Amino acid sequence: MKEIINNPWNFSFFEENNQLFLIIVCGNVGIFELKIKLTKKECELYQTTGVTYIENLVKDIQNSPSKYIKRNLN
Amino acid sequence: MNIKKTSSLIIVLFAFWSFTSVAQNAKNDHYISIFPQDSVDYLAKAFKKGHSKNEIISIPKGQRPLPSNYLKSRYIRRHLRSFRAGASFLVPKNILDRFGRTILGREDGQFVMSKNEMDDLLAKANGQLSYIETELGIPAGYWKNTELIRIDIQKPKRLHIRIPSGNEAGANDLWIPGGKLPNGFSESVVNPIPKGKYTETLIILK
């Protein structure tokens, strides 16, 4: 596993077996995590836009975790 | 003699009136803390003239104003007073293990509820995980087979306890202004919590 960004209590972005993953801390009084694998399109956007894309994706997930719950790998 | 009797009667009536008033106020306070609908009504009176819940929600996350701009100071004081006994939140043990225990919570503010409300919530849950998940907006079954830790902060005032602005990372699309969860529980945010300023308790759930 190669860690790309580790932002404690917020998110971790890492590469594993040539695939990109995000672990995002969600919730407020009750905390939970989502682990998602980036899709091909998301990987392309990351390659072109960089870290900003990941930060915005994290914000979107934290704002609407229910939208991403089906992609959770945990 | 009659004057004495009348005076005694007045004193007894006054004492009775005082007692019933105090009892009614206590009942009302308790009622507010238990029933969400009352909390919502209570919240409606929290806004300064010209401001409303919908107005604040409509502002995009990241641009929302400070709560002191739109909430009455009396409401803010009363809200924060309910955290005097302490503040609490729940976190899976594996997250604590991964991030460490030196300092807990998000940089931009860790969400907490009052210790008393957390006590009530856990008592009502009676060990049922699903009840807690529902009340705290956790996806159903998400905490199943998870060791859950309750964090208690004894003196949240020292960690700059405040009403959330809704710009925090932890504020999701269900956030409402005024420091209330959708089900009526009170919420606030505190600065990251250093070791020594909190206690950790394992929660046993079914």
Side-chain angles (χ1 to χ4, degrees):
Chain A
M1 186 181 99
K2 183 188 160 194
E3 196 162 70
I4 302 167
I5 306 171
N6 182 23
N7 191 337
W9 292 92
N10 196 6
F11 73 96
S12 304
F13 180 45
F14 58 95
E15 187 186 322
E16 202 171 52
N17 301 325
N18 293 320
Q19 292 179 317
L20 293 171
F21 293 88
L22 263 174
I23 296 179
I24 312 102
V25 179
C26 301
N28 36 60
V29 172
I31 295 174
F32 63 99
E33 282 183 331
L34 292 180
K35 181 181 177 182
I36 65 162
K37 187 174 86 176
L38 266 63
T39 62
K40 195 178 170 187
K41 190 181 174 189
E42 287 168 341
C43 290
E44 285 168 5
L45 285 166
Y46 165 62
Q47 299 300 337
T48 53
T49 320
V51 173
T52 309
Y53 172 72
I54 296 300
E55 287 170 347
N56 288 334
L57 180 61
V58 167
K59 281 180 190 171
D60 191 51
I61 295 168
Q62 287 172 330
N63 200 41
S64 310
S66 53
K67 272 194 323 192
Y68 294 86
I69 203 87
K70 283 183 181 169
R71 292 176 59 186
N72 181 37
L73 301 171
N74 276 338
Chain B
M1 193 66 177
N2 281 341
I3 294 170
K4 270 190 180 177
K5 273 186 181 175
T6 309
S7 303
S8 301
L9 185 64
I10 288 169
I11 290 167
V12 168
L13 284 173
F14 179 75
F16 179 73
W17 174 82
S18 302
F19 173 77
T20 51
S21 295
V22 168
Q24 188 61 43
N25 284 341
K27 189 182 166 191
N28 288 342
D29 284 348
H30 184 62
Y31 197 71
I32 283 168
S33 70
I34 291 174
F35 294 100
Q37 191 54 48
D38 273 40
S39 296
V40 172
D41 292 345
Y42 175 61
L43 186 59
K45 295 171 190 167
F47 290 87
K48 287 179 178 174
K49 204 173 175 182
H51 295 283
S52 70
K53 188 176 93 173
N54 290 340
E55 172 217 356
I56 305 301
I57 289 175
S58 69
I59 300 171
K61 187 175 171 179
Q63 297 170 30
R64 289 170 179 153
L66 287 172
S68 56
N69 288 357
Y70 57 85
L71 293 175
K72 292 176 184 170
S73 54
R74 189 180 168 195
Y75 172 85
I76 294 174
R77 278 200 307 275
R78 186 173 170 178
H79 176 89
L80 296 179
R81 206 181 298 145
S82 67
F83 287 80
R84 268 186 190 166
S88 315
F89 66 96
L90 299 180
V91 57
K93 184 174 174 290
N94 65 310
I95 295 182
L96 278 181
D97 291 344
R98 189 147 43 83
F99 293 137
R101 289 161 167 82
T102 309
I103 193 149
L104 310 186
R106 295 182 173 106
E107 270 181 32
D108 65 349
Q110 172 59 47
F111 279 79
V112 290
M113 67 195 290
S114 77
K115 177 196 172 292
N116 293 340
E117 285 188 340
M118 182 64 85
D119 289 342
D120 282 350
L121 171 68
L122 295 180
K124 278 184 205 160
N126 195 25
Q128 294 294 326
L129 174 65
S130 57
Y131 182 87
I132 297 171
E133 285 179 335
T134 305
E135 291 298 298
L136 295 184
I138 306 297
Y142 208 86
W143 276 345
K144 199 177 177 184
N145 302 322
T146 300
E147 283 187 287
L148 211 54
I149 302 289
R150 170 180 175 164
I151 299 294
D152 283 299
I153 305 152
Q154 288 77 29
K155 296 188 188 307
K157 196 176 175 182
R158 291 183 183 175
L159 296 170
H160 185 36
I161 190 162
R162 56 204 181 270
I163 291 183
S165 67
N167 296 320
E168 300 83 3
N172 59 27
D173 48 11
L174 298 175
W175 177 84
I176 48 174
K180 290 284 174 191
L181 291 166
N183 59 10
F185 284 118
S186 297
E187 66 175 7
S188 288
V189 286
V190 293
N191 288 348
I193 310 122
K195 198 171 182 177
K197 302 288 182 192
Y198 67 88
T199 58
E200 197 181 311
T201 313
L202 181 68
I203 305 292
I204 307 295
L205 297 166
K206 296 171 224 166

